[in-house]
Amino acid sequence: MSEIKDDDLTQFNLKYGFLIESLSIKNSVGKNWKIIEAFRWTLTIVIIIVLRDYYSMQITSLLSISVLFQALHVKYQPIENPTEQKIIFFNELMTSLYLYLTLVLTDFNGENLLRDKIGFSLLVLMIFTVAVNLIKTLIKEVRDISAKIKNWL
């Protein structure tokens, strides 16, 4: 078996480094996270298309996938940066909450007296999630810009 040379590793990182950038390579889940995510999105698309006439089954399936990914995040922590890991977990949690509230709105539950309040809760949840992600992005950009200014001076 041939050894991997530093030059080969450098060439690999230059060519394919974006595939494993920010991933934790401590475990097999982290090493294969992009593949796992691609499978998840493929499965999500299949569920959305195949179960389009069965809303409650569609939402329940998507909710199950979201909960599974939350468990993967907690157990394996596939992202190296702790802040990014927390934001991704937060987004998964908000996705699950959104799907759960959406499930309550389906015809599966019959007449729902709280339909308007649940709809408003979905709107608030979406605004809150977007706001948290925007604030995180703004904080990261301000830190990056201030670091560049310090290096420039």
Side-chain angles (χ1 to χ4, degrees):
M1 201 168 198
S2 64
E3 288 187 32
I4 298 175
K5 299 176 186 173
D6 287 339
D7 189 43
D8 292 338
L9 190 57
T10 303
Q11 289 298 324
F12 175 83
N13 283 334
L14 287 173
K15 193 169 186 179
Y16 302 108
F18 67 93
L19 292 174
I20 58 171
E21 184 179 14
S22 79
L23 293 180
S24 174
I25 55 174
K26 296 175 191 168
N27 54 55
S28 60
V29 172
K31 290 177 186 174
N32 297 306
W33 189 248
K34 295 289 184 183
I35 296 168
I36 294 168
E37 279 186 326
F39 178 74
R40 178 221 182 132
W41 289 115
T42 303
L43 186 60
T44 299
I45 290 168
V46 169
I47 288 170
I48 289 171
I49 292 171
V50 172
L51 297 177
R52 68 178 170 263
D53 294 330
Y54 306 100
Y55 308 114
S56 58
M57 285 177 55
Q58 184 184 59
I59 294 169
T60 304
S61 300
L62 294 173
L63 184 60
S64 300
I65 292 171
S66 184
V67 170
L68 173 66
F69 267 72
Q70 288 173 34
L72 287 174
H73 273 283
V74 169
K75 181 158 176 67
Y76 296 105
Q77 298 185 349
I79 308 300
E80 201 169 73
N81 184 333
T83 303
E84 288 296 322
Q85 178 72 30
K86 289 175 187 169
I87 286 294
I88 291 172
F89 181 74
F90 169 79
N91 287 333
E92 281 297 328
L93 201 60
M94 293 299 109
T95 299
S96 293
L97 187 56
Y98 182 88
L99 288 168
Y100 183 72
L101 288 172
T102 304
L103 184 62
V104 174
L105 290 175
T106 62
D107 293 336
F108 178 72
N109 291 315
E111 185 63 32
N112 191 343
L113 302 174
L114 300 174
R115 188 174 294 267
D116 291 339
K117 291 179 181 174
I118 293 171
F120 183 73
S121 298
L122 286 171
L123 181 63
V124 169
L125 181 70
M126 290 298 296
I127 292 170
F128 176 68
T129 304
V130 169
V132 167
N133 282 279
L134 281 176
I135 290 168
K136 176 252 177 200
T137 302
L138 288 173
I139 290 171
K140 183 181 181 301
E141 290 302 316
V142 166
R143 285 182 180 164
D144 289 348
I145 290 170
S146 65
K148 286 182 181 181
I149 291 172
K150 285 179 183 176
N151 288 338
W152 185 66
L153 297 176

